[in-house]
Amino acid sequence: MPTLPGIIDVSDPRDVELADIVAAIPGLVEGLAANRTDMLRCPELAGGTVGFPEFEGQPGRDEDEGNPLTAGDPGQGPRSLPERVVFRSPDETFNRRYEFAVRRGDVYYKSRSERTGIREPWARLAVPDCFAGKVVGVSVDDDELVAVDEDRWVYVMDGALRQPTHFSWSMRYGRPFWLGAGRTLPANQDWEWSVLSILEDGTWVDPAGNDHKVGDNKVSHIWMLSGRGQRLTYMDPWLPPDESYEACGPERGRFRSQALSASGSTLFVVGPHGDLFTRLYDFDIAGADPLFFDYSYEDQSDVPEPRIQLPSPAWVEQPKIPGRITDRISIHKVGTRSVHRELRVEGLRGRSTGYWHKDVQAARWRFTPTGAALDGDLLRNPARDTSRRRLGRGEDRRYTAGVDGARLVLDDFNVYCTPSLLQVRLDNGERFSLTLHSVDNIRQSERARGLDDVPRMVRGTLEVPPSLRRHASPAVRSFLDRIGPDQFTEAPMDVTREEMQFRDQGWVLRHG
């Protein structure tokens, strides 16, 4: 198989099929050509440094003098700007070095004094003329900041952990490789920017406990909450400008999240009854990027050079907060290796207003009073687990087929949620079940979310329990041998709402 120098290694045909590489080429070409006229509204932002690899010793990253103002200077922003930004949100946000806030179309920033020790007033952030005074939202994580204007166009500022003279704006966003002509956010969706990087995070830890190096180009997502709280959509600057990529929410996508926060590829959601969940998840971690990473469902715990362990990390239900809370939540990175994140939830202890907080790994919540008025909506927060109350409708679909002297029934296939249970009934009446693992796949052409009449390539893997091979009858063993000799067998699929085609096994299952 060929290698695309410096971009894609497709030398291992077990992970990537040539047909899928060829199918991606039209999307790559379209990404370079489509919607270029959109850049005419701000042609000076066609460049910028965003999307390029970072390196140790970048100028302006080690020196910290805050913004151009000093203590005692008059501030440049309105009085409504806070003394301290506590929660990351599209109105006010922070990374480890700066705090940012939007007021009446302008963005203001100052040093995050609790980390830097620099105390200074708010200064107006220099924004390109084409959207100056029109900013309605801002979110920063790591070294990148996203600003959204009145028309929902996305602009990215690189260098958000460097001296202001190194701030670099760009309107590029989307396939291929951060070179797209930009994109807009869908209306009326909660959103936040999340970045995992080699310089700040170094590595991340998979379910087998192995550390994996973050790619040199970082992993950056805009996360959005929609679908009455059931859809967790992400927009990656290397992927098509659509809304087809999602993370499966808690309770197999049926949990209704009231609010979402994201940082360093860690999601944090709260439900209407105060139930809280976190999950380490992004496009690479999920297993959807076989062009750049090696994945395996085999146990990688004691492997000298481990692949990334699949399935990807699951949702973790956090302990209930022992007090009144609102739906205003926030998460931010702490330290390296993606292990520690601080969670914050606005609320009260007694009559004192403030926020509850803890490390994502900690067992207990602590409270810090602020005296500030509550900004979020108060939630009912009973002490018991109420995460399964009033769940939404799921998207599991049923597919069946008669193949190889057997009846196959897949009751719970969900393109965003894995695994599913493949039930097998042989013609002689014997029954057993296999696990079907599935993850999304890298695409460069736009498509709709979910399933429709257009085939969606899904990276499937069939798992055969070892005990089944050992104790099964000759008829069962014969069926399993036709699948393959291993516990895990690749089973790539092309799926529509009405049909599921297994490329390697030759099975065709139909909905119903």
Side-chain angles (χ1 to χ4, degrees):
M1 298 289 286
T3 296
L4 305 182
I7 300 178
I8 298 174
D9 178 5
V10 293
S11 58
D12 189 345
R14 296 174 303 168
D15 293 331
V16 184
E17 296 189 19
L18 181 59
D20 294 318
I21 300 277
V22 173
I25 292 175
L28 287 167
V29 175
E30 183 185 15
L32 286 170
N35 305 320
R36 288 292 150 180
T37 55
D38 290 331
M39 284 190 162
L40 295 178
R41 75 185 189 282
C42 211
E44 66 271 26
L45 297 188
T49 62
V50 69
F52 290 95
E54 295 181 326
F55 56 89
E56 293 284 355
Q58 283 182 317
R61 187 143 182 161
D62 295 330
E63 310 86 12
D64 193 351
E65 299 176 359
N67 66 27
L69 303 181
T70 59
D73 289 342
Q76 297 176 348
R79 293 182 179 179
S80 61
L81 289 169
E83 180 66 27
R84 171 185 173 227
V85 175
V86 175
F87 295 91
R88 296 179 63 249
S89 74
D91 296 319
E92 300 172 358
T93 186
F94 61 85
N95 58 16
R96 66 169 173 80
R97 182 164 178 171
Y98 296 108
E99 298 178 345
F100 299 85
V102 176
R103 293 294 186 274
R104 296 196 292 271
D106 291 320
V107 183
Y108 300 89
Y109 75 114
K110 68 184 183 72
S111 185
R112 191 179 174 210
S113 59
E114 65 183 78
R115 286 290 303 272
T116 67
I118 300 172
R119 300 193 176 277
E120 61 189 6
W122 290 92
R124 183 179 283 105
L125 180 68
V127 169
D129 291 341
C130 55
F131 67 100
K134 301 177 182 178
V135 179
V136 297
V138 66
S139 181
V140 70
D141 200 26
D142 204 286
D143 197 41
E144 297 170 354
L145 176 142
V146 164
V148 177
D149 71 10
E150 296 169 345
D151 297 319
R152 306 290 286 177
W153 281 103
V154 171
Y155 304 87
V156 184
M157 188 191 83
D158 195 26
L161 285 173
R162 302 170 70 184
Q163 296 277 46
T165 53
H166 296 281
F167 292 170
S168 174
W169 286 96
S170 180
M171 63 183 299
R172 291 183 288 104
Y173 199 99
R175 47 88 201 248
F177 317 119
W178 267 108
L179 299 177
R183 69 160 304 163
T184 57
L185 284 185
N188 303 319
Q189 292 192 13
D190 293 335
W191 66 277
E192 196 155 46
W193 185 237
S194 167
V195 179
L196 194 73
S197 77
I198 184 65
L199 291 188
E200 290 292 294
D201 300 282
T203 61
W204 59 274
V205 183
D206 74 5
N210 295 313
D211 284 83
H212 297 276
K213 180 182 175 182
V214 180
D216 292 338
N217 294 86
K218 298 185 281 193
V219 185
S220 306
H221 292 345
I222 293 176
W223 282 98
M224 300 180 295
L225 180 64
S226 63
R228 299 183 67 186
Q230 290 182 242
R231 296 180 186 171
L232 301 170
T233 306
Y234 62 95
M235 301 192 317
D236 183 293
W238 281 40
L239 298 176
D242 60 27
E243 297 169 52
S244 63
Y245 286 97
E246 296 181 13
C248 179
E251 301 294 346
R252 203 170 172 83
R254 299 181 63 196
F255 183 79
R256 295 187 186 277
S257 297
Q258 189 87 359
L260 160 74
S261 185
S263 175
S265 295
T266 307
L267 305 177
F268 180 32
V269 297
V270 60
H273 306 290
D275 300 285
L276 302 154
F277 288 87
T278 56
R279 185 182 188 185
L280 180 67
Y281 189 97
D282 63 31
F283 181 76
D284 294 346
I285 292 171
D289 195 358
L291 293 177
F292 292 88
F293 300 96
D294 293 325
Y295 302 96
S296 179
Y297 288 95
E298 299 279 356
D299 185 4
Q300 301 295 296
S301 299
D302 298 313
V303 177
E305 296 183 6
R307 295 186 173 195
I308 296 173
Q309 181 74 66
L310 293 179
S312 59
W315 286 98
V316 175
E317 187 166 6
Q318 297 292 333
K320 276 294 195 72
I321 292 175
R324 300 182 68 190
I325 62 171
T326 78
D327 61 0
R328 192 180 188 192
I329 64 173
S330 179
I331 184 173
H332 62 271
K333 299 199 288 188
V334 180
T336 59
R337 298 183 63 240
S338 74
V339 175
H340 298 288
R341 303 285 186 258
E342 179 164 323
L343 311 178
R344 292 179 177 178
V345 181
E346 184 185 61
L348 303 93
R349 186 173 63 181
R351 296 184 178 182
S352 297
T353 61
Y355 61 97
W356 296 88
H357 56 99
K358 76 176 190 72
D359 186 89
V360 69
Q361 303 287 344
R364 296 178 180 273
W365 293 89
R366 295 181 296 166
F367 183 80
T368 295
T370 63
L374 298 180
D375 186 65
D377 294 330
L378 281 168
L379 302 176
R380 297 176 181 176
N381 185 35
R384 66 185 183 281
D385 179 1
T386 52
S387 59
R388 294 190 56 81
R389 288 188 58 185
R390 298 182 182 178
L391 296 177
R393 185 176 180 179
E395 294 188 76
D396 291 357
R397 288 182 70 78
R398 174 184 170 91
Y399 294 85
T400 64
V403 297
D404 294 336
R407 177 73 173 170
L408 306 182
V409 177
L410 194 63
D411 276 324
D412 58 348
F413 180 77
N414 188 320
V415 74
Y416 296 116
C417 302
T418 186
S420 304
L421 190 66
L422 181 64
Q423 303 169 63
V424 183
R425 185 183 68 192
L426 301 182
D427 288 347
N428 66 5
E430 291 188 89
R431 299 169 182 262
F432 56 93
S433 296
L434 309 177
T435 299
L436 174 63
H437 302 278
S438 58
V439 297
D440 214 332
N441 194 46
I442 190 168
R443 292 185 296 277
Q444 290 297 291
S445 296
E446 296 179 48
R447 65 155 297 127
R449 74 165 301 275
L451 298 174
D452 51 24
D453 295 334
V454 179
R456 182 170 186 146
M457 194 282 174
V458 177
R459 301 186 68 236
T461 300
L462 287 167
E463 180 181 357
V464 178
S467 59
L468 185 60
R469 288 190 189 273
R470 289 195 300 268
H471 304 296
S473 70
V476 172
R477 289 199 299 271
S478 176
F479 181 90
L480 297 177
D481 288 343
R482 292 195 293 274
I483 294 176
D486 301 321
Q487 180 181 355
F488 298 96
T489 300
E490 291 195 11
M493 301 172 286
D494 295 294
V495 188
T496 68
R497 285 184 59 82
E498 300 303 322
E499 190 172 89
M500 174 183 292
Q501 296 188 17
F502 285 78
R503 293 183 182 181
D504 295 352
Q505 287 71 30
W507 301 338
V508 179
L509 283 67
R510 291 181 170 81
H511 172 60

